[in-house]
Amino acid sequence: MIEHEQARTAARLANDRKLADDALRTVVGDLDILLGQAEAQLRLSDRGRARQTVKEAVPRFVAISSLAALPLAEVADILNLPATDVSTVTDSLIRHGGLSPAERHDALTGIELLRKQLRQVEITKDHSLLDRIIRFIVKVGVLLGIAAGSALPAALAVGDTIVKEVVKAAITALVALALQRTVRGVLAHGDDLRTTARAAHTALVDELSVITALCDTPAYEGEHTVLRVRLAVRCAIARIATTSVPWNRKQEYWAVLDEITRKLANDPPTTLLHLQRKVRAFTPPPERRPGTGPA
């Protein structure tokens, strides 16, 4: 999808309407596939024995204040959700251990609304509407990918497994909440892409400082998994934030993010130190000066 989106951007910069419209149709097809994957994952989220584990674990996490260490506020922020929604999701997890039938139905309705907007884009060739939709769908796809476990560290002990289940349920619930507010969430954001990319990169660099804590004895059960999850989420947010930003080092940057995510699964923390230096060596896309082209 990213390759097709870059082709669309290049065609628009060259004022080649035909090529841009052809690329638009391809991007719409790619996004529809991402929505199909998100829909399948939401439908599967009501299955399994993990719901009871989450229902029992969340109140305990709240009691010892370890829930605040999870990167749920960061996930809410990237989805343009207010911080109060984290409490809403926490309450829902305590009651249901995951999405309630009504919440799942509303989230699936949000996906269907996005599909209708994609069809509108394809019919009208409305590039500006696609610009607004694409970022939201990428957020949904990447974050649900984390919730599915593709970017979460491997569980090493019972406490780590419980942390992972809570993280999966919470991220899925936050994405579902954003989908329930699809129209507002897609159309309302007006943040500067470069500013967002720089902020995400800075936050990732700051988060990488926890690598040294991974070498210490855990302060509480599951702490190392919490720290690894925080890093995985920060890598995902940095990817999301740079998706639509013209930057000639983007693929190189993403390769480093992918390597960090892979090593978070099982590798000792010392193997992450050189990647910390690699990330710091990148300079996020600068602000565009008047009269200049894309960075």
Side-chain angles (χ1 to χ4, degrees):
M1 187 277 290
I2 294 300
E3 292 176 359
H4 296 150
E5 172 60 9
Q6 289 175 333
R8 183 176 77 100
T9 300
R12 293 173 76 192
L13 288 173
N15 292 320
D16 190 327
R17 183 69 189 215
K18 184 180 184 303
L19 277 179
D21 289 347
D22 288 344
L24 175 145
R25 285 191 291 271
T26 307
V27 171
V28 165
D30 296 333
L31 293 175
D32 189 65
I33 291 173
L34 284 178
L35 287 178
Q37 293 171 341
E39 179 183 13
Q41 190 168 331
L42 287 170
R43 292 189 185 280
L44 288 172
S45 64
D46 63 341
R47 302 180 184 178
R49 293 182 293 244
R51 295 176 72 92
Q52 188 61 37
T53 299
V54 172
K55 286 178 68 173
E56 294 172 356
V58 173
R60 187 166 71 252
F61 282 7
V62 171
I64 64 174
S65 300
S66 64
L67 193 67
L70 294 173
L72 304 184
E74 292 85 345
V75 173
D77 183 61
I78 198 67
L79 288 167
N80 296 324
L81 295 172
T84 53
D85 281 339
V86 174
S87 297
T88 301
V89 163
T90 300
D91 292 342
S92 179
L93 294 182
I94 292 173
R95 291 195 308 271
H96 307 290
L99 297 178
S100 69
E103 289 168 338
R104 184 175 298 100
H105 175 270
D106 290 345
L108 292 172
T109 299
I111 286 182
E112 194 51 43
L113 286 173
L114 283 170
R115 281 201 166 112
K116 289 179 180 177
Q117 288 184 315
L118 285 179
R119 288 194 288 271
Q120 178 184 342
V121 165
E122 190 168 21
I123 292 169
T124 62
K125 298 181 176 59
D126 187 341
H127 287 268
S128 62
L129 178 56
L130 181 56
D131 290 340
R132 297 194 296 274
I133 294 173
I134 190 171
R135 293 186 65 211
F136 185 74
I137 296 178
V138 167
K139 291 176 185 181
V140 168
V142 172
L143 292 173
L144 283 181
I146 290 179
S150 62
L152 290 180
L156 304 176
V158 173
D160 299 309
T161 301
I162 293 173
V163 169
K164 287 183 64 174
E165 293 300 339
V166 171
V167 170
K168 290 178 184 180
I171 291 178
T172 300
L174 285 167
V175 171
L177 191 58
L179 283 167
Q180 293 172 38
R181 304 169 184 176
T182 296
V183 175
R184 188 182 74 187
V186 171
L187 300 181
H189 73 77
D191 49 331
D192 178 76
L193 299 183
R194 286 169 170 74
T195 299
T196 302
R198 286 194 303 277
H201 175 78
T202 300
L204 173 60
V205 170
D206 291 344
E207 197 73 57
L208 284 166
S209 64
V210 307
I211 291 174
T212 55
L214 292 173
C215 301
D216 300 333
T217 302
Y220 57 87
E221 188 178 25
E223 183 199 18
H224 284 182
T225 294
V226 169
L227 298 179
R228 288 173 184 260
V229 166
R230 290 191 64 88
L231 273 173
V233 169
R234 279 297 178 194
C235 287
I237 290 174
R239 177 183 285 274
I240 291 168
T242 52
T243 295
S244 300
V245 177
W247 185 21
N248 56 8
R249 297 192 69 189
K250 187 191 302 185
Q251 299 295 338
E252 183 184 351
Y253 184 61
W254 285 1
V256 176
L257 299 183
D258 288 343
E259 190 174 356
I260 292 173
T261 302
R262 284 195 301 272
K263 288 184 178 298
L264 282 172
N266 290 304
D267 287 20
T270 51
T271 64
L272 292 165
L273 291 174
H274 80 285
L275 294 174
Q276 183 180 29
R277 293 192 292 272
K278 278 188 176 183
V279 171
R280 286 175 174 166
F282 284 95
T283 301
E287 291 211 28
R288 186 185 301 177
R289 296 187 178 89
T292 63

